[in-house]
Amino acid sequence: MNMEQVRQAYASVAELYIELFGTSQQVHADDLAFIGRHLADRPGPVLDLGCGPGHITGYLRSLGVDATGIDMVPEFIAHAQAAHPGGSYQLGSMEHLAVANHSIAGILAWGSLIHLSPQNLDGVLAEFRRAMAPAGMLVLGLFVGDEVAAFDHKVVTAYRWPVDEFSERLTRAGFTEVERLQRPSEGTHRPHAAIAAIATEG
């Protein structure tokens, strides 16, 4: 599984995905509160990586955050620019961020790391750390399981993680967890976790 395959898979269902998930009202209230709590007061630019239809980027901007949405799916960026004309949305990849070292105050990766294989995760986290300013904040959402395992996500293969093991990956990449939120499965929704982690010194 590579990112081009992921891009193609999401492009093929972009219209349906936008319809199902394209507004902040379709995000769990606890998740929005978690995101806002850790990113609303960032003193500098924040990147929403894998922003999809741009709805959470728009939410962050409504809180006064200097947020830019980045996604590799042109259909998502086109929708985001039309739906949020005052926002900032760009085509790009989280694997190679077009930003200077230590220039970003915060990164949101809400469900956008789920398609990375375990062997590719560390490289992306290292790129996040390169971009992150001192004491920058990383907020992410992931699917939870008893072991690291691939599963058949509705769009394309994804991975579930034990939260402690994912947090250890963050530590190795130069982040320190400051809060987590876990939610068990609800109806058709899989067990989910959110982690907020601050960039450590050094």
Side-chain angles (χ1 to χ4, degrees):
M1 179 61 56
N2 60 47
M3 296 310 286
E4 176 57 21
Q5 290 172 301
V6 174
R7 186 197 68 76
Q8 291 177 3
Y10 274 92
S12 71
V13 297
E15 187 174 338
L16 177 60
Y17 189 94
I18 290 165
E19 180 182 338
L20 292 176
F21 306 111
T23 70
S24 59
Q25 289 79 18
Q26 290 158 307
V27 181
H28 197 290
D30 291 347
D31 293 341
L32 286 179
F34 187 91
I35 292 166
R37 184 159 63 250
H38 292 287
L39 292 176
D41 62 349
R42 292 290 99 192
V46 170
L47 302 181
D48 180 5
L49 300 178
C51 68
H55 51 301
I56 302 183
T57 315
Y59 169 73
L60 286 171
R61 291 182 71 86
S62 77
L63 300 177
V65 179
D66 178 16
T68 296
I70 297 176
D71 204 284
M72 60 184 174
V73 180
E75 293 85 350
F76 285 157
I77 294 300
H79 172 85
Q81 290 170 337
H84 308 281
S88 176
Y89 296 93
Q90 303 170 7
L91 273 174
S93 167
M94 69 178 71
E95 295 178 298
H96 305 286
L97 299 174
V99 298
N101 292 349
H102 313 305
S103 63
I104 299 301
I107 289 175
L108 176 65
W110 197 254
S112 50
L113 299 175
I114 63 172
H115 303 295
L116 288 172
S117 63
Q119 60 265 36
N120 291 333
L121 176 65
D122 291 343
V124 171
L125 294 179
E127 176 67 351
F128 289 3
R129 186 64 185 82
R130 176 197 70 78
M132 198 75 83
M137 184 67 71
L138 171 61
V139 178
L140 59 90
L142 67 150
F143 291 121
V144 176
D146 293 333
E147 60 182 7
V148 180
F151 68 94
D152 290 330
H153 184 270
K154 288 183 179 179
V155 179
V156 65
T157 301
Y159 293 83
R160 56 173 65 94
W161 286 80
V163 185
D164 286 343
E165 188 166 343
F166 201 101
S167 185
E168 288 171 9
R169 294 287 188 112
L170 293 174
T171 300
R172 294 200 322 237
F175 295 94
T176 298
E177 180 182 333
V178 294
E179 187 183 1
R180 73 173 62 172
L181 171 71
Q182 286 189 246
R183 190 162 53 250
S185 58
E186 300 176 59
T188 59
H189 296 282
R190 298 179 179 89
H192 171 270
I195 299 175
I198 195 166
T200 48
E201 296 296 328

